[in-house]
Amino acid sequence: MAAALGDPVRHALEAVLDAVRDRTDGAVADYIPELAKVEPEQLGAALASTHGVVHEAGDCDAEFTIQSVSKPFVFALAVDALGLDEVRRHVDLEPSGEPFNAISLDEASGRPRNPMINAGAIVMTSLMPGDTADEKFAVVLAGIERFAGRDLPVNEEVYSSEASTGDRNRALAYLTRSAGTLGAAVEVATLAYFRQCSISVNARDLAIMAATFATGGVNPLTRERVISEDAARWTTAVMTSCGMYDESGDWMVRVGLPAKSGVGGGIAAVQPGQFGIGTFSPRLDARGNSVRGVATLELLSERHGLHMLQHHGAPLSPIASLSRVEAGDADGGSDGDTVVALRGEILFSEAEEILTRLAPLVGDRGCLVLDFTAVTRVAAGARTIFSALPDTMGRLADGRSRVAVHDPDQVLGAAER
Ligand code: DON
């Protein structure tokens, strides 16, 4: 009998946690007094695939406050609620290269540099629908719960602690208010923001939330579309350039995963199209990023080749087979036609390969039948290239198109031509 396979991904996560467990450098955040009480030894990591499978290692059920990890999710909600142009009237999308709580506003426009630093995040929360802090927070909470796929509690102690000490954030809010970029009164915006930061999550939640960006906006467990594909892409882009504050550039080189950290000790990291990772360990480095969370993601990326810009050597050709239909064959074509069976996901470069390889085959005799039966998806940008096919390839003398498309599942999005 074959040995049980177990969960090799969990083992990989556990091995990395074991390698970083002994690190005791850094310190738990204490500028929000309640955070200083957190048990510093906790350590957990979870990976959620875009297929909806979650692998967990260590303290994945331990709850902590989401803090700044909430920022990309609220940015995504704002983009879908208001549109990117309107959001950009209130915030820039440039890395600040400065700490998370810096007074980082564009000199001329007064806009915060990006939505991942506190100033920009408070502005994003202020733009949420509703007039009061409670109403705005309700929209934020409902959105973040859809990302996580479950109801999430608020840590009231941490909320009160930050609400009674968060004067620097109030100062940032006043500055944005005076520059005309804050969408609400200072107290409305900051109280909603403090509650947002006090939402209680675990590493598993962060993995699922990040995986929702990885799928292009669909929660891989609940299958609910949470945000648009555009919002997922734009947000992941901002996480890439700004998510780790003044460590963002170095992080991108070493780890290569769009990510967002929080002073509660959480980090959410995205590998677009593949998975999300959530880590939790409370001790922070000087930039407010979890020491062992950073080390975990760095080692995972290095050991398992997770860098988003990893070179992909030899992808499977999108052309599975090419066959000539002879009399009597029932391959979807007529006698003398050539049937080209395509497969997998077709992005721009697959479309380029298909069309470049097939162009010389379009002869006087017979028709080229492109069979999309085994194609899982045609990306929008590739679709437009295929839609030009019959025109660019011309027609046979008898008036038939030189190219026909067999697309039973309508992956091209239009009726069969
Ligand atoms: O606004 C603050 O200071 C906290 N509620 C959140 C800051 C934070 O998590 C920064 N990230 N590392």
Side-chain angles (χ1 to χ4, degrees):
M1 206 172 107
L5 200 54
D7 180 351
V9 176
R10 174 165 59 81
H11 293 319
L13 293 172
E14 277 167 351
V16 169
L17 293 189
D18 287 343
V20 306
R21 187 164 275 113
D22 289 344
R23 287 197 56 177
T24 55
D25 48 319
V28 298
D30 58 3
Y31 74 98
I32 299 172
E34 193 65 23
L35 289 184
K37 299 180 184 167
V38 168
E39 160 54 49
E41 284 307 324
Q42 299 176 94
L43 176 65
L47 183 148
S49 76
T50 48
H51 305 293
V53 179
V54 187
H55 308 270
E56 300 177 42
D59 300 322
C60 281
D61 292 329
E63 303 255 325
F64 53 94
T65 51
I66 189 167
Q67 301 297 343
S68 291
V69 186
S70 61
K71 291 169 179 173
F73 301 97
V74 176
F75 172 72
L77 295 173
V79 163
D80 268 351
L82 303 162
L84 186 62
D85 288 346
E86 178 61 14
V87 167
R88 290 193 64 175
R89 283 201 328 107
H90 294 263
V91 72
D92 286 337
L93 302 177
E94 297 303 329
S96 66
E98 291 182 311
F100 66 85
N101 57 2
I103 302 171
S104 199
L105 310 178
D106 180 78
E107 263 174 43
S109 67
R111 282 194 296 265
R113 287 270 180 228
N114 66 66
M116 302 294 113
I117 53 170
N118 286 9
I122 294 167
V123 169
M124 290 302 101
T125 306
S126 79
L127 296 177
M128 290 288 111
D131 295 326
T132 64
D134 283 349
E135 286 169 2
K136 289 183 187 295
F137 173 68
V139 175
V140 166
L141 180 64
I144 289 189
E145 288 178 337
R146 287 201 305 278
F147 275 107
R150 70 171 184 118
D151 291 347
L152 297 170
V154 170
N155 184 324
E156 295 295 343
E157 288 75 29
V158 172
Y159 167 70
S160 306
S161 186
E162 186 166 19
S164 58
T165 56
D167 290 334
R168 188 176 177 93
N169 280 329
R170 289 190 176 87
L172 291 171
Y174 274 111
L175 287 172
T176 58
R177 180 84 175 158
S178 73
T181 53
L182 197 71
V186 166
E187 212 51 13
V188 168
T190 49
L191 289 183
Y193 167 79
F194 295 148
R195 278 194 92 70
Q196 166 189 322
C197 290
S198 305
I199 294 171
S200 195
V201 291
N202 57 39
R204 178 188 162 86
D205 293 323
L206 293 190
I208 296 167
M209 292 168 71
T212 302
F213 283 143
T215 62
V218 174
N219 180 312
L221 278 91
T222 65
R223 298 274 154 206
E224 184 191 357
R225 174 159 289 285
V226 180
I227 44 155
S228 67
E229 212 172 301
D230 282 344
R233 189 177 66 256
W234 292 330
T235 308
T236 312
V238 178
M239 291 168 84
T240 303
S241 55
C242 312
M244 300 299 278
Y245 307 116
D246 36 343
E247 199 181 339
S248 294
D250 199 40
W251 171 270
M252 239 332 111
V253 172
R254 284 185 293 114
V255 182
L257 295 172
K260 187 72 208 74
S261 62
V263 293
I267 300 178
V270 185
Q271 170 60 276
Q274 294 186 37
F275 54 77
I277 298 178
T279 64
F280 170 52
S281 180
R283 279 192 292 262
L284 309 177
D285 62 21
R287 285 144 163 165
N289 299 326
S290 162
V291 171
R292 295 192 298 185
V294 167
T296 296
L297 283 156
E298 195 173 333
L299 197 52
L300 268 176
S301 178
E302 186 190 311
R303 278 191 184 171
H304 301 289
L306 306 186
H307 198 293
M308 148 172 106
L309 301 176
Q310 184 85 18
H311 173 64
H312 296 291
L316 205 60
S317 169
I319 300 174
S321 67
L322 233 143
S323 50
R324 196 91 183 148
V325 180
E326 305 300 344
D329 281 4
D331 253 359
S334 315
D335 187 12
D337 291 348
T338 302
V339 176
V340 183
L342 304 175
R343 66 181 165 196
E345 185 176 28
I346 298 182
L347 309 178
F348 179 84
S349 63
E350 282 79 19
E352 184 270 340
E353 179 184 340
I354 293 165
L355 296 181
T356 309
R357 278 185 55 192
L358 297 188
L361 301 180
V362 183
D364 299 334
R365 207 169 71 82
C367 175
L368 207 55
V369 180
L370 300 188
D371 182 0
F372 282 77
T373 308
V375 169
T376 51
R377 188 175 91 99
V378 181
R383 220 176 273 166
T384 51
I385 296 181
F386 283 112
S387 66
L389 261 178
D391 295 339
T392 54
M393 296 288 195
R395 289 178 177 278
L396 295 172
D398 64 4
R400 282 201 301 144
S401 173
R402 286 168 191 263
V403 180
V405 168
H406 180 55
D407 181 16
D409 296 329
Q410 304 218 347
V411 288
L412 281 171
E416 209 172 299
R417 280 158 292 184

